[in-house]
Amino acid sequence: MTAEPHVPPGVDPAVPSPARIYDYLLGGSYNFESDRTAANRAMQRVPEVRDIIFATRGFHGRAVRWIAEQGITQYLDIGSGLPTVGNTHEIVGRVIPDARVMYVDNDPMVAASVAEILIDPDRTRFTTGDIRDPGDLLTRPEITDFIDLGQPLGLIISAVLHFVADDDDPAALMDRYIAALAPGSYVALSHATADKAPPESVKTGQETYANASEQFFMRSAAEVQRFFAGLELVPPYEGAGPRLAYLGEWGAEDPADADTDGSRWGYCGVGRRA
Ligand SMILES: C[S@@+](CC[C@H](N)C(=O)[O-])C[C@H]1O[C@@H](n2cnc3c(N)ncnc32)[C@H](O)[C@@H]1O
């Protein structure tokens, strides 16, 4: 049995957090008993939970690599999560070694744990911030001195907007971020949906986060599509038309093979600012 991680300031280990639950399901060690209990309960009731999590992380990796292959040299990754395999700067760095990545997350566990991936401050930085506050994130010098909003950017919003309530108007938040992007920028976004999941499983999904630091709001295809307003969606794989995809489908070599139950728990897409 491995030791519990150190409890950083601002972290309540008794309250599960989306970042720590996700870390546990990916096989990481930045999590506490409360996170594991919530995740294990979900896994007992919804057998495809791990498939959902790996489909989510898989989209992140394939989309980030694809954006880097378009020549984008700077990235803003909001809701970046705990360090894991395939962090954004590692994927981008394999394509563009001197690309810059600014990570943002609102979880104090993330803030306390990112040091291990912030090896080169010329290329990779982190700041605590909240996606619900674009006025802050789009003007804070710590971010705008590192990322030039006047130049094309890769904006990564992967598996985070489903922790934003309707009351916080996620569509209006996306409008703010997209309006701030220079032409030629790309947005990679994924979001959980209940469209294809059985009602009992959907209930479990919501219950998993009921006592967590953030709650969980699944949305329909139309609602997720709305987040891309002002962008041109790119085809999710060769031969497809421009559209939203299920998580596993995007960038898949064999889309039929990627069409699993877990994949259908989320929509995703990459959009370009013309
Ligand atoms: C499921 S993880 C996704 C991590 C990574 N983006 C990925 O796709 O693999 C969700 C992340 O969003 C963060 N998050 C949740 N609500 C947030 C908010 N309001 N502002 C910033 N980050 C948030 C969580 O702390 C967590 O690290």
Side-chain angles (χ1 to χ4, degrees):
M1 189 176 147
T2 51
E4 288 286 83
H6 162 74
V7 181
V11 170
D12 183 349
V15 176
S17 89
R20 290 190 261 120
I21 291 174
Y22 190 67
D23 171 72
Y24 174 64
L25 290 167
L26 284 172
S29 54
Y30 297 107
N31 50 75
F32 300 106
E33 185 61 38
S34 66
D35 308 302
R36 297 189 289 272
T37 300
N40 287 334
R41 179 181 179 277
M43 281 194 285
Q44 276 160 11
R45 294 169 188 219
V46 182
E48 67 269 25
V49 163
R50 272 226 152 88
D51 181 16
I52 301 168
I53 297 302
F54 280 93
T56 301
R57 192 65 188 167
F59 163 72
H60 163 271
R62 293 189 301 277
V64 166
R65 188 182 67 219
W66 185 87
I67 294 172
E69 287 167 353
Q70 311 314 303
I72 299 296
T73 59
Q74 49 172 7
Y75 294 79
L76 180 58
D77 184 346
I78 310 178
S80 50
L82 285 152
T84 184
V85 174
N87 300 297
T88 299
H89 73 286
E90 293 162 348
I91 297 169
V92 169
R94 280 179 218 128
V95 183
I96 303 178
D98 60 352
R100 297 186 310 288
V101 177
M102 184 84 213
Y103 291 116
V104 179
D105 204 287
N106 72 341
D107 188 320
M109 188 75 182
V110 178
S113 309
V114 286
E116 70 168 67
I117 60 170
L118 305 182
I119 300 159
D120 180 354
D122 290 337
R123 284 194 46 218
T124 312
R125 296 188 189 174
F126 172 85
T127 189
T128 297
D130 198 307
I131 198 168
R132 292 168 290 201
D133 194 354
D136 171 36
L137 298 189
L138 294 169
T139 60
R140 205 195 302 173
E142 194 184 359
I143 297 174
T144 56
D145 288 351
F146 186 59
I147 295 295
D148 181 357
L149 289 172
Q151 297 297 320
L153 174 78
L155 177 62
I156 314 301
I157 301 196
S158 173
V160 52
L161 269 191
H162 48 229
F163 298 111
V164 174
D166 285 349
D167 284 353
D168 291 309
D169 202 347
L173 295 176
M174 285 309 299
D175 287 345
R176 293 277 301 278
Y177 288 110
I178 290 168
L181 297 177
S185 296
Y186 290 93
V187 178
L189 185 149
S190 64
H191 195 293
T193 187
D195 284 359
K196 297 289 174 194
E200 271 309 301
S201 300
V202 170
K203 193 162 158 263
T204 297
Q206 285 156 339
E207 286 168 358
T208 301
Y209 296 95
N211 301 312
S213 54
E214 313 284 349
Q215 274 66 61
F216 186 50
F217 308 95
M218 288 168 266
R219 295 192 168 94
S220 67
E223 288 171 305
V224 178
Q225 177 94 34
R226 165 67 184 85
F227 296 147
F228 289 88
L231 301 173
E232 294 168 352
L233 276 171
V234 307
Y237 54 85
E238 223 178 294
R243 61 166 174 82
L244 283 187
Y246 290 117
L247 296 167
E249 260 187 315
W250 204 98
E253 281 175 19
D254 183 345
D257 200 39
D259 185 18
T260 62
D261 287 349
S263 169
R264 290 183 170 228
W265 273 82
Y267 293 114
C268 62
V270 173
R272 182 176 186 274
R273 180 106 156 90

